[in-house]
Amino acid sequence: MILKIIFVCISFLLVRPVFADTLTLKTWQGVLLPEEMSYIQPVSAEDNEGIIKYLRTVAMGNVAQREILGIWYQFPIENTSTDADTLYFESLYQYDTFWFFSHGPRGLAAADTTGYWTNPFYRLFPEHPFIGSVILPPGKSMVYFGSGIYGENTNYFNVRFHDKTSIYTLIYKEKQTIGIQMLINTLSLGFMAFIFLFFLLYALLVRESIYISYAIYLFFALAFCITMWNDLPSQAQVWSNYLFQYRYLLNETMVAWMFAAYVIFTDRLLTIAQQSPWFGKILKIQALVLFLYGLWHMIFKMNWWYPEIIEASYFYFRIIFMPNYVIMLILILVKIRSPLKVFFMLASISLLLGVVASIMVDLMAEVWVVNGSIIHPGALLQIGIIFETIFFSLALGYKNKLIYDQRDQHKRQYIDQLKENNRLIVHEKLTLENKVAEAKTEILEKQAQIEARKIALLQAEFENKIQELTIQSLEAQMNPHFLFNGLSAVRDLVMKNRNDEATKYINTFALLLRNSLNNNRKQSISLQEEIQDTVHYLQIEKLRFGSSFKFSIVVDPDVDINDIDVPPKLLQPIAENCIKHGLRHSKENKKKIQINVCRIPDGVHIFIEDNGIGLVASRKINEANQPEITHLGLKLLTERLVIFNQQHDIKISMGIEEIINQQMDLTGTRVSFMIVIPAAMVPLKPVEG
């Protein structure tokens, strides 16, 4: 901007005002005044037909083949220099389309045009549609000019002529008067374009209706601002002039569609249809009417149908829409509840103030002059739209904040609930351990009392413990039937006065339960601990079966089971399945379970074998009695192994098969575990029972 001012000032000092010296025409300070142009006369009928014929048969670039008004004006002018010179002209009414021709020694020649309806790229000053030029050859010439059909019924008093100095002075003064207007237009269009692109991309990412409707509203608001009267810098103004006819055709359509999108976005933002269905239907009808009005306006303008109706529609549309708009705001203020209503009202008031201010300026003075700068009414409306979009953007930001705050609150509540659940679990486990320890102490103390009283007390205590341990076994992941049967067996020993045996098995049972509670809280235990728990379990089961049940556990001397980690409850559930599904239904007099731990090149192989009825027979019995829980224990164990393998370097796989001897007779079932470990193991002596 500073460089342009310096350039104009230097041109004032260095450029010789050739117009006054070389053109024979009366001037005053380089400008032809209307009262001094009495020699401008309408052209003769013959010349008029020649000009019209010329325009209709010869393409003029920016003029093309338009219809021409039948009245043209002419005046003589003489260029006394030996070189061509330039006559500049100014259209005082910028919407007029003036065409200029010169008729010199070489005949009729097209010169230039003015007005928004012509192509600015063919003009000497493309930023200024009201300025044109006529190149005059040496000697006398006749200048013709007339207005196109797209202009009003104008005459030559709407045209002023300039030399080079005065035309640049005019351009400089014109730039000084549009400084504030240019600032408002540039910032408004730039801000609107940025906000639109931002929310368009955001809407494409989140794919929510509220952001999609807001992006659509911003698009129409930006398009409406573009169709207004805008003063923009450099090439932006040239393109704005070039698109004038589209701006003219789409201005009212963009207003209607902007408010239609505004109504839809309002419904989404404040959830109006959810709170008041009848109000939501009214808003949908209003949006549809606005859309149809904009479509009707665009079609009629494009075809130049009924211009008087189109002109009247501007006034009646605003008379009808503005009261409806105010009533909508009042209903929202009274009936709709939303934390975003404050932002919405501020946005709507900003838009309303912009509309009222632009209408008042347009009615009173057409422009608002501030310290010599001209501000058009559309600039005030753009300011209102800018503040409206700011408040709407703040509303959407606040809406996101409320959603995030609600999510954070739910997360905190969920975490607090998890902490409380863990605290209760730990508390219940500790309580259970204490109760088991207390039960063991009480049983040992009762043995020293009188036999009759001890039996009676023990019977009552065991009845209570059976019920309590049956419930607690769910958390200890043990079979309640096993607990009940074991405790019943102990009770029978007490009743038979076999107190030493009862004490032994109570100690074994308590040790098994305590280890189970402790190990269940661990991700892994040593193979030694797992074998020990399995021994305790089998010892208790042996109490029930008596001498008809035998078990043995043999560990390869090359295996150090203390250094091998396995998940809790790896072997004990398999031993329990052997007894429950295999040995219990077996007709063998001697029921037995054999557990072998063997060293292999890449780890350890564990075999658990029984001489029961086998897999097929067991499945038939189980499916007939309890089909809904058949194989549930094996399925849970398989899932636990998958999780264990993902979390540890040691990899464990399980297999199950029936044992067939050389005579092809079924002799039992074998479950095997393949444990792949990274290092060698050390021996453990075999354990038998």
Side-chain angles (χ1 to χ4, degrees):
M1 185 65 175
I2 297 176
L3 293 176
K4 286 187 176 180
I5 294 173
I6 294 174
F7 172 77
V8 172
C9 293
I10 293 175
S11 67
F12 288 164
L13 299 175
L14 299 181
V15 177
R16 181 172 61 89
V18 297
F19 177 82
D21 296 337
T22 62
L23 299 181
T24 305
L25 192 66
K26 292 182 179 180
T27 63
W28 179 73
Q29 293 184 352
V31 180
L32 292 175
L33 299 180
E35 59 269 18
E36 297 176 342
M37 299 174 67
S38 58
Y39 43 81
I40 297 180
Q41 299 294 331
V43 300
S44 64
E46 181 180 356
D47 289 340
N48 187 61
E49 291 181 3
I51 293 173
I52 294 174
K53 182 178 181 182
Y54 179 84
L55 289 176
R56 288 177 175 171
T57 56
V58 180
M60 291 178 54
N62 58 326
V63 176
Q65 298 277 351
R66 290 179 177 166
E67 293 186 14
I68 311 301
L69 286 178
I71 300 177
W72 286 75
Y73 295 91
Q74 63 182 353
F75 63 89
I77 191 169
E78 181 179 6
N79 180 8
T80 58
S81 71
T82 58
D83 298 321
D85 206 342
T86 304
L87 172 67
Y88 300 93
F89 51 89
E90 168 195 4
S91 173
L92 301 182
Y93 187 64
Q94 299 187 24
Y95 288 98
D96 282 346
T97 301
F98 279 98
W99 291 326
F100 290 82
F101 296 84
S102 63
H103 194 288
R106 297 183 179 180
L108 186 65
D112 206 348
T113 60
T114 62
Y116 280 110
W117 295 100
T118 59
N119 191 332
F121 293 103
Y122 292 98
R123 290 197 293 264
L124 181 61
F125 301 99
E127 298 179 38
H128 305 283
F130 57 92
I131 297 176
S133 62
V134 177
I135 299 177
L136 301 175
K140 295 181 179 181
S141 300
M142 183 68 72
V143 175
Y144 302 91
F145 66 95
S147 178
I149 195 171
Y150 298 104
E152 307 221 347
N153 292 326
T154 56
N155 54 43
Y156 65 83
F157 292 111
N158 286 338
V159 181
R160 302 175 68 180
F161 297 87
H162 297 264
D163 63 5
K164 191 171 186 177
T165 300
S166 65
I167 198 63
Y168 278 103
T169 302
L170 175 67
I171 292 173
Y172 174 76
K173 290 181 179 179
E174 192 265 344
K175 287 186 177 294
Q176 297 305 308
T177 60
I178 64 171
I180 297 179
Q181 172 78 18
M182 182 180 293
L183 178 64
I184 294 174
N185 295 150
T186 304
L187 293 179
S188 298
L189 295 180
F191 177 79
M192 290 295 297
F194 171 77
I195 291 294
F196 164 67
L197 292 175
F198 175 82
F199 278 99
L200 175 63
L201 294 176
Y202 191 77
L204 294 176
L205 289 175
V206 301
R207 298 182 182 276
E208 294 182 12
S209 61
I210 185 172
Y211 296 105
I212 295 174
S213 60
Y214 186 53
I216 294 173
Y217 165 73
L218 290 174
F219 171 77
F220 288 126
L222 174 62
F224 172 56
C225 290
I226 292 175
T227 61
M228 293 181 185
W229 181 293
N230 292 302
D231 287 307
L232 303 171
S234 188
Q235 286 298 313
Q237 184 63 45
V238 178
W239 281 100
S240 178
N241 296 339
Y242 178 73
L243 299 173
F244 171 77
Q245 56 182 329
Y246 302 104
R247 291 161 48 202
Y248 170 76
L249 292 174
L250 297 176
N251 178 265
E252 189 72 1
T253 299
M254 292 301 104
V255 173
W257 289 357
M258 179 186 76
F259 278 106
Y262 167 88
V263 171
I264 296 174
F265 170 68
T266 299
D267 180 35
R268 300 290 191 276
L269 180 68
L270 303 179
T271 61
I272 294 176
Q274 298 178 13
Q275 300 183 48
S276 178
W278 65 267
F279 194 6
K281 290 181 180 178
I282 291 176
L283 292 181
K284 290 180 180 178
I285 294 173
Q286 191 176 37
L288 178 61
V289 171
L290 288 168
F291 173 79
L292 293 177
Y293 169 74
L295 183 63
W296 169 84
H297 216 280
M298 180 175 63
I299 294 174
F300 272 56
K301 266 191 173 181
M302 289 175 62
N303 294 279
W304 295 97
W305 292 341
Y306 304 104
E308 64 281 358
I309 297 178
I310 294 176
E311 190 67 27
S313 68
Y314 292 106
F315 173 76
Y316 289 107
F317 168 70
R318 285 151 181 78
I319 290 296
I320 296 173
F321 176 73
M322 289 304 295
N324 283 306
Y325 178 68
V326 174
I327 292 172
M328 182 189 74
L329 295 182
I330 294 173
L331 289 175
I332 291 175
L333 184 63
V334 173
K335 289 188 169 296
I336 302 303
R337 297 179 180 274
S338 173
L340 308 177
K341 188 163 66 174
V342 174
F343 295 98
F344 170 78
M345 294 306 299
L346 290 174
S348 300
I349 291 172
S350 299
L351 178 61
L352 187 61
L353 291 177
V355 172
V356 172
S358 63
I359 292 176
M360 291 179 61
V361 170
D362 189 47
L363 292 177
M364 290 189 300
E366 293 188 356
V367 293
W368 183 22
V369 181
V370 180
N371 294 329
S373 293
I374 296 175
I375 300 176
H376 292 274
L380 301 178
L381 181 54
Q382 286 182 357
I383 293 175
I385 293 175
I386 290 300
F387 279 99
E388 180 199 38
T389 56
I390 290 174
F391 285 121
F392 276 153
S393 300
L394 291 175
L396 291 175
Y398 187 67
K399 175 183 175 66
N400 283 339
K401 180 181 181 300
L402 293 177
I403 293 174
Y404 291 142
D405 289 345
Q406 188 177 18
R407 289 178 181 174
D408 291 340
Q409 182 180 4
H410 289 166
K411 287 181 180 179
R412 288 194 296 269
Q413 292 176 350
Y414 178 71
I415 293 173
D416 293 341
Q417 186 63 45
L418 288 178
K419 291 181 179 179
E420 179 64 18
N421 292 344
N422 290 334
R423 187 189 67 80
L424 292 175
I425 291 173
V426 173
H427 175 73
E428 290 298 324
K429 287 184 177 181
L430 292 175
T431 302
L432 181 60
E433 290 179 357
N434 293 333
K435 287 183 179 181
V436 172
E438 291 173 1
K440 178 181 176 181
T441 303
E442 290 178 4
I443 293 173
L444 294 176
E445 290 176 353
K446 294 300 179 180
Q447 292 178 353
Q449 299 178 2
I450 300 174
E451 183 175 351
R453 183 180 177 183
K454 181 174 65 174
I455 293 174
L457 291 175
L458 285 175
Q459 285 178 342
E461 182 69 22
F462 274 112
E463 292 294 337
N464 292 333
K465 292 302 177 183
I466 289 171
Q467 296 179 3
E468 180 179 340
L469 291 175
T470 300
I471 296 174
Q472 293 169 348
S473 66
L474 295 174
E475 192 167 349
Q477 296 184 3
M478 296 185 65
N479 191 330
H481 297 291
F482 161 72
L483 297 175
F484 180 83
N485 294 334
L487 291 176
S488 296
V490 175
R491 181 181 61 182
D492 292 338
L493 290 175
V494 173
M495 294 179 65
K496 295 177 181 178
N497 202 18
R498 296 165 60 183
N499 297 328
D500 293 338
E501 293 182 47
T503 301
K504 174 182 177 183
Y505 284 104
I506 286 173
N507 290 335
T508 303
F509 183 82
L511 183 60
L512 173 64
L513 184 57
R514 184 178 64 183
N515 289 344
S516 178
L517 292 172
N518 288 333
N519 293 339
N520 285 339
R521 290 179 292 178
K522 301 177 181 179
Q523 291 185 352
S524 64
I525 61 174
S526 68
L527 182 57
Q528 161 68 21
E529 294 174 311
E530 179 62 23
I531 291 175
Q532 196 65 45
D533 285 347
T534 305
V535 170
H536 293 154
Y537 169 77
L538 292 174
Q539 287 174 343
I540 293 173
E541 287 290 5
K542 184 170 179 166
L543 172 64
R544 292 200 304 120
F545 283 94
S547 60
S548 65
F549 173 62
K550 294 285 186 179
F551 72 90
S552 64
I553 300 177
V554 180
V555 179
D556 194 321
D558 292 334
V559 178
D560 187 353
I561 57 178
N562 288 298
D563 288 343
I564 301 176
D565 290 334
V566 295
K569 290 286 184 284
L570 178 67
L571 304 181
Q572 185 269 329
I574 302 301
E576 184 177 352
N577 276 350
C578 290
I579 294 173
K580 182 178 178 181
H581 302 299
L583 299 179
R584 187 178 65 173
H585 303 293
S586 175
K587 297 180 181 180
E588 295 287 341
N589 294 329
K590 296 296 183 178
K591 300 176 175 61
K592 61 181 179 179
I593 292 178
Q594 174 74 35
I595 300 177
N596 295 318
V597 181
C598 306
R599 179 79 166 92
I600 58 176
D602 55 350
V604 174
H605 209 166
I606 302 175
F607 299 96
I608 305 175
E609 299 179 354
D610 65 65
N611 62 342
I613 62 175
L615 289 174
V616 177
S618 174
R619 286 173 180 169
K620 291 181 179 179
I621 295 174
N622 290 333
E623 290 173 357
N625 296 331
Q626 292 179 309
E628 70 278 3
I629 60 173
T630 302
H631 309 306
L632 180 59
L634 292 178
K635 179 180 179 182
L636 294 176
L637 179 57
T638 302
E639 294 176 353
R640 289 172 53 220
L641 288 178
V642 172
I643 297 174
F644 181 84
N645 290 337
Q646 292 175 349
Q647 297 177 344
H648 297 79
D649 293 333
I650 297 177
K651 305 302 178 184
I652 304 176
S653 59
M654 182 181 71
I656 183 169
E657 61 181 348
E658 290 186 330
I659 303 174
I660 307 296
N661 61 17
Q662 293 181 352
Q663 289 75 29
M664 302 303 293
D665 295 328
L666 174 68
T667 61
T669 305
R670 178 186 298 116
V671 178
S672 61
F673 291 96
M674 177 74 73
I675 304 177
V676 179
I677 54 178
M681 300 295 146
V682 192
L684 180 72
K685 292 182 178 180
V687 178
E688 297 186 2

